[in-house]
Amino acid sequence: EQYQKLADELAQVHTDSNQILSETMANYESVLAQRSQEISSLSHQLEELEKERRRCEEESEAFHKDYSQRLQEKDRELADERAQVKSLAGDMAVQAQKVNEL
């Protein structure tokens, strides 16, 4: 009878441990599935952010290229205007000398 009681208790412990293991595995699988879904969502967000970063980088490069071209164009215009002013100043000096000779 004592052996039967011990055998029954051992069987109950075995049943309880199987139940606990089953519940633990179910909880683990549930948490794992949830984390997997979170990782997938974060991965998608990261891809979207990377696309946005590339777009901003391309826009920035285009802006800087355009700005640089406009600056070079203005520099050329100013250089042309300086050359014209120097030429006019030279012409005025020649005209002034002619006036002085008269």
Side-chain angles (χ1 to χ4, degrees):
E1 184 178 310
Q2 188 177 4
Y3 289 118
Q4 184 60 44
K5 188 175 179 181
L6 286 173
D8 290 345
E9 287 178 14
L10 184 59
Q12 185 61 46
V13 166
H14 183 70
T15 300
D16 291 347
S17 70
N18 281 343
Q19 179 66 30
I20 291 169
L21 180 60
S22 178
E23 290 172 3
T24 301
M25 289 303 293
N27 287 338
Y28 172 76
E29 288 172 0
S30 172
V31 168
L32 186 61
Q34 184 179 8
R35 294 298 182 256
S36 179
Q37 190 175 23
E38 290 171 1
I39 288 170
S40 177
S41 175
L42 289 172
S43 179
H44 177 71
Q45 289 175 14
L46 184 61
E47 287 174 10
E48 292 300 315
L49 287 171
E50 183 61 25
K51 287 178 188 175
E52 184 67 14
R53 184 197 62 78
R54 280 194 304 270
R55 185 188 64 77
C56 289
E57 195 173 76
E58 289 169 1
E59 284 181 8
S60 177
E61 288 174 6
F63 172 81
H64 286 296
K65 183 178 179 182
D66 180 58
Y67 187 73
S68 177
Q69 287 174 344
R70 282 196 251 167
L71 281 178
Q72 289 174 358
E73 197 175 297
K74 287 293 179 186
D75 283 346
R76 283 191 296 271
E77 288 174 9
L78 287 174
D80 290 346
E81 287 177 14
R82 280 193 291 273
Q84 288 174 3
V85 167
K86 283 182 182 180
S87 177
L88 287 174
D91 289 348
M92 288 177 66
V94 168
Q95 293 297 327
Q97 187 174 5
K98 286 182 181 178
V99 168
N100 284 338
E101 289 174 2
L102 294 176

